[in-house]
Amino acid sequence: MDGAERLRGGPAAAVRDPQLFEEFYRRHVDAVMRFVARRVDDPHTAADLTAEIFLAVLDSAHSYQPRLGSETAWLYGIARNVVSSERRRVAREAERDLRISGRRLLEADDIVRLEDKLDAESPGRRVLAALARLPEGERAVMELIAVDQLTVTEAAAALGIRQVTARVRLHRARKALRAETDPTGVETPDASLVYVKRGAA
């Protein structure tokens, strides 16, 4: 994944060359949209956050270091920051109208396409809801591995932590979730999603 997905010159080169940036965008936009769709349930918000993530890439391109992980892991780290910032912003707003007023209008086809993505990612949102009771550090690792399908190495890179720290947090999170979601030995459909892994052992 690392070698195959890496853009020549990396994100820093893409920022300086519109054609390379378009290649970078096309390569990663679906993964970013899926990441966002697992965390929000409104198509306007999903579209806005996806755009903000790629704008943030322009500011953060210099920070990408191939030795620390793949472009996807680095991009997910940016995406987490953008989504977290949006959650904090919404929490501070007194009226829902303020959140809607600054949005661009979407075409009907765009809304349908985004609603389809949101529907497809609803199981992921249910898993994220189940993870909400975990401590922040453990929840972040588990989200990236179980929901976003990153490896432990990629999740550590996305979070800016050491691999061993990510493994410890993953172990604690799995232990807590196993006790919470499977106390009788009968695994629920949502619980089965929590244990999905990609080479994360």
Side-chain angles (χ1 to χ4, degrees):
M1 182 178 189
D2 282 0
E5 72 153 14
R6 209 168 272 155
L7 189 71
R8 67 182 186 276
V15 170
R16 296 188 299 269
D17 182 332
Q19 187 174 347
L20 285 179
F21 188 78
E22 182 178 351
E23 182 184 334
F24 178 88
Y25 175 85
R26 290 181 185 279
R27 177 175 294 176
H28 295 292
V29 66
D30 283 342
V32 170
M33 179 60 75
R34 288 193 302 271
F35 180 97
V36 172
R38 285 190 283 271
R39 288 160 174 81
V40 303
D41 58 7
D42 175 72
H44 292 280
T45 303
D48 289 347
L49 289 178
T50 300
E52 285 181 38
I53 288 162
F54 283 98
L55 286 174
V57 164
L58 296 174
D59 294 330
S60 305
H62 65 280
S63 71
Y64 174 63
Q65 299 179 44
R67 65 182 175 79
L68 296 180
S70 66
E71 285 178 4
T72 299
W74 174 77
L75 199 51
Y76 277 14
I78 292 173
R80 287 190 79 253
N81 290 338
V82 170
V83 171
S84 294
S85 293
E86 171 66 6
R87 286 176 176 161
R88 288 191 298 271
R89 183 189 71 80
V90 169
R92 288 191 302 263
E93 289 183 352
E95 298 176 7
R96 184 174 177 87
D97 288 347
L98 294 177
R99 209 169 83 216
I100 297 170
S101 63
R103 294 182 175 155
R104 68 179 178 91
L105 295 177
L106 295 175
E107 298 293 329
D109 288 347
D110 291 335
I111 291 176
V112 169
R113 182 176 55 83
L114 289 169
E115 285 175 341
D116 287 344
K117 283 190 183 289
L118 292 169
D119 288 345
E121 298 301 336
S122 62
R125 285 198 304 278
R126 286 196 300 272
V127 172
L128 289 174
L131 298 176
R133 288 181 288 281
L134 292 174
E136 170 59 26
E138 294 172 14
R139 181 172 69 246
V141 171
M142 189 58 129
E143 280 182 13
L144 291 171
I145 291 171
V147 180
D148 296 309
Q149 296 293 291
L150 295 186
T151 63
V152 171
T153 302
E154 291 169 333
L159 295 169
I161 60 176
R162 293 180 358 199
Q163 228 179 313
V164 67
T165 304
R167 288 184 188 281
V168 168
R169 290 180 184 178
L170 177 63
H171 173 74
R172 289 178 181 161
R174 284 181 171 156
K175 185 175 178 182
L177 288 169
R178 201 174 295 122
E180 183 178 328
T181 62
D182 195 15
T184 63
V186 178
E187 193 172 278
T188 65
D190 283 350
S192 67
L193 290 174
V194 169
Y195 302 110
V196 171
K197 57 184 179 179
R198 265 182 58 232

